[in-house]
Structures are given as structure tokens and as C-alpha cells.
Amino acid sequence: MVSLSSLGNSDFMQNKYVQSGFMVLLTIVLTKFISVLLGSRSSKNLPPVVSAWPIIGGLLRFMKGPVVLLKEEYPKLGSVFTIKLLTKKVTFFIGPEVSQHFFKAPEADLSQQEVYQFNVPTFGPGVVFDVDYSIRQEQFRFFTEALRVNKLKSYVDQMVYEAESYFSKWGEEGVVDLKYELEHLIILTASRCLLGREVRDQLFEDVSSLFHDLDSGMLPISVILPYLPIPAHRKRDRARKKLAEIFTKIIHSRKQSGNNEADMLQSFIESKYKDGRPTTEVEVTGLLIAALFAGQHTSSITSTWTGAYLLSHQKYLSSVIEEQKDVMKRHGDKIDHDILAEMDILYRSIKEALRLHPPLIVLLRSNHRDFSVTDRNGKEYAIPKGHIVATSPAFSNRLPYVFKNPDIYDPDRYAPGREEDKIAGAFSYISFGGGRHGCLGEPFAYLQIKAIWSHLLRNFELELISPFPAIDWNAMVVGVKDKVMVRYKRRALSVDQ
């Protein structure tokens, strides 16, 4: 039998449990409500998001061409917006005002290492994106030292020699594919200045073929799955191993003989870290491969676009020829580093081709810290930790509020009095990146392209006979899609006579 007191206690306990359960449920509901409310408030500051499919997000649109996507979304969403790519969120910064944080942020905030890991199988272990930031900074110092003015002056002599030698094999007149010719000349010049005399004189064909296999192993799928066991990757890995063997022998030979050469290879061999440790053979090989990859494509692409534009615009072609005449009147046929530096009109012509067609169309960083960015209209956006932050030289270089008639080839936009690349701020022109990670090889690239085009303008009459080339958007490094057929005729006399 149950007593009255026990029933009372039972009712009390049941009421207590009901009250406790109600309070727990109320707490959960209130917590959820507050989190949703706070989330909705904070989301007001997040960048707008590109409409996309569930799960895959905007991957298909992005893979078809990021510049096309940017052209469609920028007018609707403004200079800061996010696109979902599978599990990643990529936030684009478009324009000099919002790009400042992208280029100036410390590595602890925005880093290259995570987003460029796909380069590791190509460059090799222990260099660039396979080491922590402090070591990478020291390796970048090696590049800087190898590209100092005194080094560049010796490189120019080699550039001029290679150009004279290469074009001496052309006949009195003929038709050539300028894209093919410049690609081959650039790899010859790069081999001599960067990889060394041994490669240029004895091993060029072998090394060139291996670099081609290495290059062919850099596919769009490589960005996502760099170690996927496909034929192109296996060929890449074999080429990388053989290149390491070749450079190891060359390094051994130089060290034993005490022979010093004026090239980047020698500079890397002699480089030392701050603690006094010398570079290893593995590191030297990786740094050389990284240097050639960084310079070969960009220089050959930009030199080809420069030619296509000049030969399509008689006004600017006449200007650069007149400049060559003036330089030759003052210096004769001699070409060196300081004389190339005087060629301002040619420099602006190259720079404008590079504005219209930067080979690297998207730059990426991994964001490790929440921060905010303010657009040119004063609107502030919160950029969450974990986003990939991106900018596009190909799109930003054609913003109409920065560059007048941005789709028109106009080298004079950089002339004194206009200088459109500076009016909107430090990051108006970003073909070579900028800030903490600006391209170290920019001076080398301009000298190389100047040396080639100075020789062509002085010694040949040139005429573009094919249609203006299209852009190869499918390439990892975006370049010229079509042949650039040019009719040439060797000048009977030097250009100033």
C-alpha cells in the first residue's frame, strides 16, 4: 500500500522534473534564437555570395574561366564577393582599394603555402612551398641576390648574345611563327643565364625536353590532386628525378674545379642561410626549376603579345623604331644593361601588353585570421578565417575607373603626365603582383624582352600577316592560343641610316 505522503513526494518530484525539463528546453530555444539573431547580424557584414549549385558550388563556372565569372558577377556584387567551390569559400578582392590587404598582409594572416602546395612535386622537396615561411624568406633572399644589378648586367650580355645568334639564322626574308620563335629563344636565354653554360652548351636538348615533361605535368587537375597517379604526373616525376641527377653532377663538377660562372646556378651554389649553412644540391636544383618556371612562360608570352600589338598598331611601332634610332645615334650598335634602361617607349609597350594579358590571371592566399576590408564606396566587409582570398590581375588591370578605355592598347597611358597605373593607388597595376610577394624576376623579364625586341626592331622590317591571336584560357599560365605569323625582311642598313 502506498502512503499519502509518498504520493505527495512523487507528485512533487514529477513537477520538479517537468519544471527542470522545461527550463532546459527554454534555454536551448533561447540559445538557438540568440545565435541565429547574432548570426544574421554578423552575416550582414559578410561579402555577397555568388549564386551556385548545392555541394559543387560555382566550381563548373570557375573551371570554364574565372575571368568570365568575374565579368558577370562584379557589376552585380561589387568589388568584394564570395564564391563557393566544393568545400572551399573563395573571396575575391577586385580593385586597388580592397587589394591592399591582399598584397600587404603578413604571412601569418594571408599565406601562399597552403594554396600553392600543388607546385611541390614540380619544384621538389625542401624549397619554396615545401618549407616554412622563415626558410622560404631566406630562399627568396637568394633569388634577390641572384638578380641584383651587378648580376643583371652580366645576364644582359648573355641575352644580347643569344638574340644575335638566334636571329642570325633567319634568312634575308621569310615568314615565321613569332610565338614559336620567341618561345625557343627565351628558353635558350634562360638556360644560359639561369641554368648555366654546361646546360646551354652541352645538355640543352636533354634539359629542354625534361622541362617540357615537367611543364606538361602541370594540369588543372594537378591543382586539386597533385599526386594523382596519371601518366602526365608519372612523366613529370621521372623528369624531375633526371633533372636532379644532371644538376647534381654539374654542381659537383663546379665545386671540384673551382670554376665560377656568371649565372644563377653559381649564385645559388654560393648562397648561405643566416646560420651559415650552405645550400644543398637538392635545394639548388629546386630553386633553379622554380626560377625557370617563374620566368620562361611569362617572358615568352609577354614578348609575343608585345610583338602582336606593336605590329597591329603602326603609331606605336613607329615610336619604338624612332626610339631605337635615337639610342643608336648616341651609342652605336652597342647594347648593355644601362642602354636597355634608356628605352622608355619600348618599356611602356611591353608593360601595356602585360597589363592586357598577365600570364597569371588569379592570385590566391589562405586566410588565417578574421579581418575586415572597406571598398571604394566605404562599405565594410568581414572576411572570415578559413576563406581563400583571391585577386585577378587579368580583371583588375581593365577596370575603367582606373584605366581610360581599358580594353585599348595604349602604351602612352604610362607616359609622364598620365601615369594611369599610379592614379588609383599602389595596386592599380598588378601584372607582377605586389607588396610582400611582388615578382622578384620583374627586372630580369623586362631586360630579356627588351634585348630581344631591340634586336628585332633594329635589324628587321616586320609585318603581321595572320589575324590577331586569341587568348588560350585553358592553359595553367594563360598565353597566346594561335600562331602569330609574321613576314620579315632583313634591313639592308642599320635602322639609323
Side-chain angles (χ1 to χ4, degrees):
M1 182 178 290
V2 180
S3 68
L4 291 175
S5 62
S6 67
L7 283 173
N9 288 335
S10 176
D11 291 341
F12 173 78
M13 292 301 293
Q14 287 179 359
N15 289 335
K16 184 177 181 180
Y17 288 140
V18 169
Q19 290 174 2
S20 297
F22 177 76
M23 291 302 295
V24 170
L25 180 62
L26 181 62
T27 301
I28 292 173
V29 170
L30 286 173
T31 301
K32 183 68 175 177
F33 176 76
I34 291 170
S35 66
V36 170
L37 182 63
L38 291 175
S40 64
R41 285 178 178 175
S42 64
S43 67
K44 291 179 182 178
N45 291 328
L46 292 176
V49 180
V50 174
S51 299
W53 292 94
I55 303 176
I56 63 171
L59 182 63
L60 295 180
R61 288 181 66 194
F62 190 82
M63 293 298 286
K64 287 181 180 179
V67 174
V68 174
L69 184 148
L70 296 177
K71 285 181 179 179
E72 293 172 352
E73 300 299 336
Y74 174 77
K76 296 184 291 183
L77 303 180
S79 58
V80 182
F81 56 86
T82 299
I83 179 170
K84 295 179 181 178
L85 302 178
L86 296 177
T87 60
K88 299 292 185 181
K89 293 181 179 179
V90 180
T91 297
F92 273 93
F93 291 174
I94 303 298
E97 299 82 9
V98 293
S99 295
Q100 291 204 33
H101 190 85
F102 181 93
F103 289 113
K104 297 173 72 173
E107 184 76 6
D109 292 0
L110 293 180
S111 71
Q112 293 178 308
Q113 187 162 2
E114 296 87 350
V115 292
Y116 292 126
Q117 277 291 300
F118 63 88
N119 287 296
V120 172
T122 301
F123 296 168
V127 295
V128 193
F129 301 115
D130 192 49
V131 294
D132 64 37
Y133 181 64
S134 61
I135 298 298
R136 187 158 72 253
Q137 283 297 94
E138 291 206 58
Q139 292 177 351
F140 284 166
R141 175 171 58 82
F142 300 159
F143 282 105
T144 301
E145 291 171 353
L147 294 169
R148 293 191 186 281
V149 172
N150 63 320
K151 300 278 188 180
L152 288 174
K153 288 184 176 182
S154 65
Y155 296 159
V156 167
D157 293 339
Q158 297 162 17
M159 294 171 184
V160 171
Y161 172 81
E162 291 291 347
E164 291 174 349
S165 176
Y166 190 87
F167 293 121
S168 69
K169 298 172 185 175
W170 282 12
E172 290 300 311
E173 57 183 278
V175 173
V176 295
D177 175 8
L178 193 63
K179 175 187 172 184
Y180 174 90
E181 299 292 327
L182 294 178
E183 284 175 351
H184 282 69
L185 175 54
I186 291 291
I187 188 64
L188 286 168
T189 305
S191 293
R192 181 63 189 90
C193 296
L194 307 182
L195 307 183
R197 184 185 300 276
E198 298 91 338
V199 170
R200 176 64 186 89
D201 294 347
Q202 302 168 27
L203 299 166
F204 174 75
E205 295 298 332
D206 292 340
V207 171
S208 180
S209 176
L210 291 171
F211 265 104
H212 179 270
D213 291 345
L214 208 60
D215 187 29
S216 299
M218 186 75 78
L219 305 170
I221 190 64
S222 308
V223 177
I224 303 171
L225 298 169
Y227 298 97
L228 188 68
I230 58 177
H233 286 172
R234 286 194 290 268
K235 204 171 184 179
R236 171 201 68 194
D237 295 342
R238 287 195 297 269
R240 179 65 180 73
K241 183 178 179 181
K242 289 180 180 177
L243 283 169
E245 293 171 355
I246 289 173
F247 282 111
T248 296
K249 291 179 180 177
I250 294 173
I251 294 166
H252 277 162
S253 176
R254 285 200 183 183
K255 286 181 176 179
Q256 290 174 0
S257 66
N259 183 35
N260 290 331
E261 295 284 347
D263 51 42
M264 187 172 281
L265 169 58
Q266 188 67 39
S267 185
F268 287 157
I269 291 173
E270 296 172 355
S271 294
K272 291 184 179 181
Y273 292 90
K274 290 180 180 178
D275 62 4
R277 178 177 74 81
T279 51
T280 67
E281 291 156 2
V282 171
E283 289 171 335
V284 170
T285 299
L287 293 172
L288 282 172
I289 291 172
L292 192 66
F293 258 77
Q296 177 199 347
H297 282 304
T298 53
S299 291
S300 63
I301 288 168
T302 303
S303 59
T304 302
W305 283 123
T306 298
Y309 276 107
L310 283 175
L311 299 183
S312 300
H313 294 78
Q314 185 59 45
K315 171 185 173 182
Y316 300 117
L317 179 62
S318 297
S319 294
V320 292
I321 291 175
E322 285 301 313
E323 180 179 57
Q324 293 301 309
K325 290 180 180 180
D326 179 62
V327 170
M328 291 182 74
K329 285 177 181 177
R330 288 184 284 113
H331 301 289
D333 291 328
K334 179 185 177 184
I335 293 292
D336 61 22
H337 173 275
D338 295 340
I339 294 171
L340 287 178
E342 295 180 18
M343 300 178 186
D344 291 331
I345 299 175
L346 181 55
Y347 166 78
R348 296 197 293 265
S349 300
I350 299 167
K351 182 171 183 174
E352 178 68 346
L354 192 57
R355 178 187 71 84
L356 292 167
H357 301 286
L360 299 179
I361 61 173
V362 174
L363 305 176
L364 305 170
R365 303 283 187 269
S366 180
N367 183 30
H368 297 290
R369 187 174 300 171
D370 294 343
F371 69 94
S372 62
V373 63
T374 303
D375 69 12
R376 60 193 291 251
N377 297 316
K379 189 169 184 178
E380 185 176 358
Y381 295 99
I383 312 300
K385 174 183 176 180
H387 278 213
I388 292 174
V389 181
T391 191
S392 172
F395 189 77
S396 295
N397 280 353
R398 297 194 186 213
L399 291 172
Y401 74 89
V402 178
F403 297 101
K404 183 180 179 181
N405 297 321
D407 296 326
I408 302 299
Y409 180 75
D410 180 9
D412 290 341
R413 68 174 77 246
Y414 311 109
R418 286 182 64 180
E419 297 179 319
E420 293 179 11
D421 56 320
K422 298 178 182 178
I423 290 175
F427 303 107
S428 301
Y429 180 97
I430 55 173
S431 293
F432 280 103
R436 292 175 178 270
H437 300 293
C439 179
L440 299 174
E442 180 178 354
F444 182 93
Y446 272 117
L447 289 170
Q448 190 177 30
I449 299 169
K450 277 184 174 182
I452 291 170
W453 273 102
S454 176
H455 183 89
L456 282 170
L457 294 166
R458 293 166 184 244
N459 292 280
F460 296 95
E461 297 175 9
L462 303 165
E463 177 190 2
L464 181 67
I465 59 175
S466 61
F468 193 84
I471 304 170
D472 185 5
W473 292 113
N474 294 321
M476 285 289 291
V477 181
V478 174
V480 182
K481 184 177 183 179
D482 308 314
K483 292 182 177 180
V484 183
M485 302 308 297
V486 169
R487 179 180 289 114
Y488 71 84
K489 183 178 180 181
R490 194 175 293 274
R491 295 184 186 276
L493 299 171
S494 62
V495 76
D496 63 330
Q497 292 181 306

